[in-house]
Amino acid sequence: MGKVDTRAKKLVAVFAMLGATAAPAMATDKMVIDASGTSPDRILTYVNDYSTDKSGIGDGSGGIREIVLTMVYEAAKQPYWTETVLQFKCPGAAGVGKASRKPAGQPSPALPDADSAEFRMVGGHKRMKDSPEIQSLTGSGWQSASNYLMLKVYRVACSDAAIRDAKQAAAMPNGKMDPAALRQSMRELGFDTAEFLPTEGLSMNVLASYTWEHFWKGAPKPALNNGRQLTAKEAAAFEKRLQDQIALLEQQRDDVGARIKKVDEENRFVQEAAKLRGGRRVSATEQTMISVWLGKNESDVVTAMGAPAVSEAGGMRYLTYAREYDNRFALVTAGGDHISTQGLYESCQAQFVLKPDASGAMRVADVVVEENRSGPGRAYVCSGLLNAPRN
C-alpha cells in the first residue's frame, strides 16, 4: 500500500527497539496480556495499562473502570485488528485508584481472584484484511463473563493503582524500568505476561504490523485489501484516517497523562501530609475533619468557615477558628467568701494547617482541634464551629 506501509515499517522498527528495553516508568503503555492459538490462527491481545473512572455519582453504579482492549488476528478471514472500549464493575469502588485508601508509601494490594466479571462494551471499531475501511462496533449492555481473557482484562482495569505502583517501584534513575523487578511485581498482581509498549504514535495499523514483526516473525502476513494496490485517492483517504487515529490517540494519551500526573501529585501530597502529622495522636473529631478537608484549598476553608485568624511559619499557613460559651457565675457569702462556681464553660479551637502543593497552592494537610469543657463530656460548642466543605 505504498507510502502507508513504508511509514508503518519505520515506526515498527522504532517500537521494536522500545519493546526490547523498558518504557518510561510512569508512561501510559499497552500491555501484552494474552497470546492464544497456533499459527496460522493466532491472536495477540493488548490492553492499555491505565483505566479511567466512569462511576456515576449517586446512581448506585459502583466502581466502574473503563479500558481500551486491542486484538490482532493472524488468520486471513479474521479482522486485521479490533479495538474496543470496555467498562468493568470493580470491587471496593471507593478504593480503586484512591491514594487515601491505603497507608502512605505502601503499594496498592492485589485484586482478589474472581470467578466472573461484569462488563459492557461502550463501542469500538475494526478493520478487516480485505478492505481499507474501518468499521464501527456498537456497544452492549451489562453482561457477565467468566472466560480467561475477560478476567485478565478485568484484572488490569481494576488494578489501575497497583500497576502504577509496580511501575513506579521498578523505575530506575535513567527513566526506564527494571524489567526483572517489574516482571516480579506483575506476577504478584496476577499477570504472568506483562510486556509494555509505549503508546505514543501507535495507531492500530502500526500495532498490527508490529505484532507480525516482533511476535510472529517468519509468519507470512496476509495481503491487505486482497493484494490490490490502493488508488491515490484511497491511499490519501486511508492516510487521513491513520492521522486522525493517531491524533485521537495522542489526545487520549495527553488526557491520561494529565490524570496520571494529577493522581501522582495527590499521592505525594497525601504522603507529605501524613509525614506532617507524624506520630501525633489524632482524636475522632480530628480524624473526621481531616477525612473531609484533606487537600482542600484555602478558599474552600474560608468559604465554609468564614474569616480566620491567619499566621505563617516555616512555609506553612495556619487558619485558626475559635468559639466559646461561658455562663459561669460564682456563689459567695454575704462576707464575700467564695463558695463555688456554677454554670458551664466550653471552648473549641480548630486550626487548619495548610502546606503548598506541587503547584504552590496552599492546601489543607492537617486539622488540629482543641476542646475544653468545665464538666464531663465533649464541648458541644464544637458542633457549631466545625463545618464541612461546601460543594
Side-chain angles (χ1 to χ4, degrees):
M1 289 186 288
K3 64 177 181 178
V4 177
D5 274 347
T6 300
R7 181 179 181 280
K9 288 180 180 178
K10 289 179 180 178
L11 284 172
V12 165
V14 173
F15 287 111
M17 290 188 292
L18 291 172
T21 59
M26 290 309 295
T28 302
D29 304 315
K30 283 191 179 295
M31 287 174 59
V32 180
I33 63 165
D34 189 55
S36 60
T38 57
S39 188
D41 193 19
R42 291 175 290 190
I43 302 173
L44 200 68
T45 303
Y46 303 86
V47 66
N48 285 10
D49 68 354
Y50 186 86
S51 63
T52 54
D53 187 0
K54 294 296 181 178
S55 306
I57 300 176
D59 63 0
S61 59
I64 298 175
R65 306 292 296 184
E66 184 174 282
I67 198 164
V68 178
L69 173 71
T70 305
M71 303 178 75
V72 180
Y73 303 81
E74 183 183 18
K77 293 187 177 180
Q78 291 281 5
Y80 188 30
W81 52 259
T82 61
E83 182 182 61
T84 54
V85 179
L86 304 176
Q87 292 181 352
F88 287 86
K89 291 184 179 180
C90 298
V96 178
K98 299 288 186 180
S100 59
R101 299 292 181 177
K102 63 183 178 70
Q106 294 296 313
S108 299
L111 189 73
D113 289 334
D115 295 326
S116 63
E118 285 190 80
F119 79 99
R120 66 182 173 190
M121 187 171 80
V122 178
H125 44 280
K126 69 177 181 179
R127 182 190 172 189
M128 300 301 292
K129 295 184 178 72
D130 60 359
S131 171
E133 295 301 321
I134 297 175
Q135 304 172 28
S136 296
L137 300 174
T138 58
S140 68
W142 287 106
Q143 53 191 294
S144 179
S146 57
N147 65 76
Y148 171 81
L149 177 59
M150 292 306 290
L151 288 177
K152 287 288 287 290
V153 181
Y154 155 80
R155 180 169 286 276
V156 176
C158 299
S159 297
D160 175 80
I163 293 173
R164 188 166 57 251
D165 288 346
K167 292 172 69 177
Q168 184 66 54
M172 297 188 296
N174 62 1
K176 303 296 185 181
M177 291 184 289
D178 180 344
L182 183 60
R183 279 194 296 271
Q184 179 59 37
S185 296
M186 296 305 290
R187 287 193 190 101
E188 293 172 359
L189 295 177
F191 302 104
D192 52 359
T193 303
E195 179 167 346
F196 292 80
L197 299 173
T199 58
E200 184 173 358
L202 194 60
S203 73
M204 297 305 100
N205 292 292
V206 172
L207 182 62
S209 294
Y210 174 84
T211 302
W212 256 275
E213 296 286 341
H214 187 65
F215 294 102
W216 297 340
K217 292 179 179 179
K221 185 177 178 181
L224 299 179
N225 196 34
N226 290 325
R228 181 179 66 83
Q229 187 77 12
L230 294 179
T231 65
K233 183 177 180 180
E234 288 174 331
F238 186 69
E239 180 69 15
K240 182 180 184 306
R241 286 196 295 273
L242 277 176
Q243 293 300 328
D244 290 344
Q245 285 181 6
I246 292 173
L248 178 60
L249 283 169
E250 289 177 345
Q251 180 61 52
Q252 292 173 341
R253 180 205 64 209
D254 292 342
D255 291 344
V256 170
R259 285 192 291 270
I260 289 177
K261 182 179 179 182
K262 183 177 180 180
V263 169
D264 289 340
E265 290 176 352
E266 289 298 314
N267 285 346
R268 283 192 292 271
F269 185 85
V270 169
Q271 292 169 5
E272 290 170 2
K275 291 179 181 178
L276 177 67
R277 293 192 295 274
R280 178 173 70 85
R281 183 177 179 180
V282 179
S283 69
T285 300
E286 289 172 332
Q287 184 59 56
T288 299
M289 290 291 285
I290 293 170
S291 68
V292 298
W293 279 106
L294 182 63
K296 296 295 184 182
N297 293 319
E298 182 175 9
S299 60
D300 296 326
V301 179
V302 175
T303 298
M305 300 287 294
V310 182
S311 60
E312 296 193 17
M316 315 288 286
R317 186 170 298 162
Y318 302 87
L319 310 182
T320 304
Y321 298 86
R323 181 172 292 182
E324 66 177 3
Y325 172 80
D326 190 357
N327 71 347
R328 294 173 297 177
F329 60 92
L331 293 178
V332 297
T333 66
D337 295 328
H338 182 270
I339 299 175
S340 66
T341 299
Q342 302 293 317
L344 179 67
Y345 173 77
E346 290 185 348
S347 69
C348 184
Q349 175 179 287
Q351 186 175 74
F352 291 80
V353 183
L354 282 69
K355 70 179 301 297
D357 64 9
S359 67
M362 301 301 290
R363 298 170 62 191
V364 177
D366 194 8
V367 184
V368 181
V369 180
E370 295 183 4
E371 303 179 56
N372 293 291
R373 196 169 196 265
S374 59
R378 63 162 300 180
Y380 292 102
V381 71
C382 273
S383 62
L385 176 68
L386 305 180
N387 296 323
R390 299 178 186 177
N391 294 328

